[in-house]
């Protein structure tokens, strides 16, 4: 796998972060939808990308987890799903609770360390694809979630995992995104989170919060302090950040895992960058100087290319080779 190098015209970290949204804004990809009922009575929506090649025996299954407030319509999903399907693999994006455009049934939703949720989905789909090798891919929050899952639940049928721009130190990221231009990203994401929560409140008569309370929250920490933490069994935002940050989990990962960060990621700072002693031998860490947050755009201005849709299928293919099994 070649290293990522940003071209001269796209070395700014915010440009790298925003370019995929611009370039992919009108792209449509074929999808087949499925509602998956969870063991607690809630549901999530799965978005399947039709396989480009006819399925073969023991066809690999690639399971993709999106980032904070993301969905199958996120630019990175529009990039990677067709790229994975082009390998002849079955490909599905798992929406977190409430992220597919429909509010989930319960008061709880999703969070960065919900390895039990990831485990239930992986086990359910793994049973359906009995005998098939599994590949896991997580972007941003989804990457941190997979770091928790991989450390907590070794899974022999998972042949490889890739974590892209994961916020491995949640407290540090909550602080970092409140500085400078990065506050624009926080405002955009927080506004969506608050709207979705207010919609949920209006649909649930017994909700312990009022829409007016949600309006007053000014940053991620306040959202996590007043909703995420109590809704998911944490003492508060700080407890949630401490228990669910993936940085301390990396040394426990036994499954081959590709971890990708950019040093100029505007969503985080150097505190998310793991030291050598924090990585297990199963984790291959790649840190590029540029790339922004889930950006990694190269090529020319008029014919841009998206490095992730080239590098991740290539790395997964290597893990599927007999010598790596």
């Amino acid at each position: 796998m070649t290293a990522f190098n940003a071209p001269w015209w796209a070395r700014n970290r915010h440009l790298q972060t925003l370019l995929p949204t611009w370039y992919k804004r009108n792209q449509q990809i074929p999808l087949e939808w499925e509602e998956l009922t969870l063991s607690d009575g809630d549901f999530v929506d799965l978005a399947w990308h039709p396989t480009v090649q006819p399925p073969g025996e023991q066809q690999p299954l690639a399971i993709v987890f999106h980032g904070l407030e993301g969905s199958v319509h996120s630019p990175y999903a529009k990039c990677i799903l067709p790229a994975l399907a082009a390998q002849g693999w079955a490909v599905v994006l798992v929406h977190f609770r409430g992220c597919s455009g429909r509010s989930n049934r319960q008061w709880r939703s999703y969070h960065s360390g919900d390895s039990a949720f990831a485990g239930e989905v992986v086990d359910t789909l793994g049973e359906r694809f009995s005998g098939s090798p599994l590949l896991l891919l997580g972007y941003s929050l989804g990457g941190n979630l997979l770091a928790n899952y991989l450390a907590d639940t070794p899974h022999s049928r998972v042949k490889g995992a890739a974590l892209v721009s994961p916020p491995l130190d949640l407290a540090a990221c909550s602080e970092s995104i409140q500085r400078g231009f990065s506050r624009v990203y926080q405002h955009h994401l927080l506004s969506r989170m608050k709207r979705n929560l207010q919609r949920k409140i209006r649909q649930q008569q017994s909700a312990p919060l009022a829409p007016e309370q949600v309006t007053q929250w000014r940053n991620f920490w306040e959202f996590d302090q007043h909703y995420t933490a109590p809704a998911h069994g944490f003492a508060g935002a700080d407890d949630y950040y401490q228990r669910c940050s993936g940085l301390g989990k990396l040394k426990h990962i036994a499954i081959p895992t590709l971890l990708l960060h950019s040093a100029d990621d505007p969503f985080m700072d150097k505190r998310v960058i793991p030291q050598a002693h924090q990585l297990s031998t199963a984790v291959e860490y790649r840190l590029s100087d540029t790339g922004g947050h889930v950006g990694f755009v190269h090529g020319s201005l008029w014919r841009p290319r998206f490095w992730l849709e080239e590098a991740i299928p290539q790395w997964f293919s290597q893990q599927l080779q007999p010598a790596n099994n």
Side-chain angles (χ1 to χ4, degrees):
M1 187 177 75
T2 58
F4 173 77
N5 290 299
W8 64 267
W9 57 272
R11 297 191 66 83
N12 179 274
R13 62 180 184 164
H14 300 298
L15 192 60
Q16 276 285 339
T17 302
L18 296 170
L19 276 174
T21 300
W22 172 259
Y23 283 122
K24 295 291 182 178
R25 66 192 185 281
N26 295 322
Q27 180 175 336
Q28 302 294 322
I29 59 175
L31 296 171
E32 297 172 1
W33 290 84
E34 175 188 354
E35 180 181 306
L36 179 66
T37 300
L38 301 174
S39 59
D40 61 6
D42 211 344
F43 76 94
V44 292
D45 285 318
L46 308 180
W48 295 85
H49 189 290
T51 305
V52 175
Q53 302 174 11
E57 185 177 356
Q58 295 187 331
Q59 176 190 30
L61 169 63
I63 305 173
V64 182
F65 294 86
H66 60 75
L68 183 68
E69 291 301 295
S71 73
V72 73
H73 304 298
S74 298
Y76 51 80
K78 294 179 180 180
C79 286
I80 199 63
L81 297 188
L84 295 174
Q87 308 301 312
W89 305 335
V91 182
V92 62
L93 182 137
V94 180
H95 288 93
F96 297 131
R97 305 178 198 232
C99 287
S100 61
R102 300 193 296 162
S103 294
N104 63 304
R105 301 185 183 107
Q106 298 186 358
W107 178 239
R108 62 155 300 164
S109 58
Y110 66 99
H111 65 83
S112 292
D114 198 352
S115 59
F117 166 75
E120 180 174 357
V121 171
V122 172
D123 288 346
T124 299
L125 295 178
E127 290 176 4
R128 189 182 303 180
F129 283 74
S130 177
S132 295
L134 305 179
L135 304 168
L136 306 182
L137 171 58
Y139 288 90
S140 196
L141 179 146
N144 187 82
L145 181 147
L146 283 184
N148 280 266
Y149 167 72
L150 293 168
D152 295 342
T153 317
H155 201 303
S156 61
R157 283 184 53 206
V158 176
K159 298 304 180 183
L163 320 180
V164 181
S165 303
L168 296 175
D169 187 323
L170 297 174
C173 294
S174 178
E175 295 172 8
S176 180
I177 205 167
Q178 295 186 54
R179 305 189 195 114
F181 184 83
S182 294
R183 288 176 294 183
V184 173
Y185 304 120
Q186 177 177 248
H187 175 75
H188 171 71
L189 291 169
L190 186 62
S191 295
R192 293 182 61 178
M193 293 161 66
K194 289 161 66 173
R195 284 197 302 271
N196 288 340
L197 180 55
Q198 288 172 324
R199 180 177 62 186
K200 183 198 291 282
I201 291 171
R202 295 187 180 99
Q203 292 175 353
Q204 298 186 6
Q205 294 181 352
S206 59
L209 290 169
E212 296 75 20
Q213 292 174 277
V214 177
T215 303
Q216 300 172 10
W217 303 341
R218 300 164 296 175
N219 52 51
F220 285 156
W221 187 91
E222 292 185 356
F223 187 97
D224 292 332
Q225 176 72 7
H226 298 294
Y227 172 68
T228 308
H232 299 94
F234 300 101
D238 295 335
D239 180 50
Y240 162 48
Y241 294 161
Q242 190 276 325
R243 289 168 58 185
C244 293
S245 291
L247 192 60
K249 312 291 180 67
L250 301 176
K251 60 180 176 289
H252 301 299
I253 295 177
I255 295 165
T257 298
L258 176 65
L259 173 54
L260 300 174
H261 269 148
S262 170
D264 68 351
D265 192 322
F267 280 45
M268 49 199 81
D269 59 31
K270 63 182 180 181
R271 287 175 285 180
V272 307
I273 299 175
Q275 302 300 308
H277 70 274
Q278 295 175 299
L279 299 172
S280 80
T281 56
V283 177
E284 180 179 336
Y285 185 58
R286 298 292 185 95
L287 175 66
S288 62
D289 293 331
T290 56
H293 185 71
V294 196
F296 301 96
V297 180
H298 63 164
S300 69
L301 178 61
W302 305 115
R303 299 187 67 180
R305 291 160 51 203
F306 300 90
W307 181 75
L308 294 173
E309 69 182 40
E310 303 163 6
I312 291 175
Q314 179 187 28
W315 190 85
F316 276 155
S317 294
Q318 293 172 354
Q319 308 316 305
L320 293 171
Q321 297 302 312
N324 291 300
N325 292 341

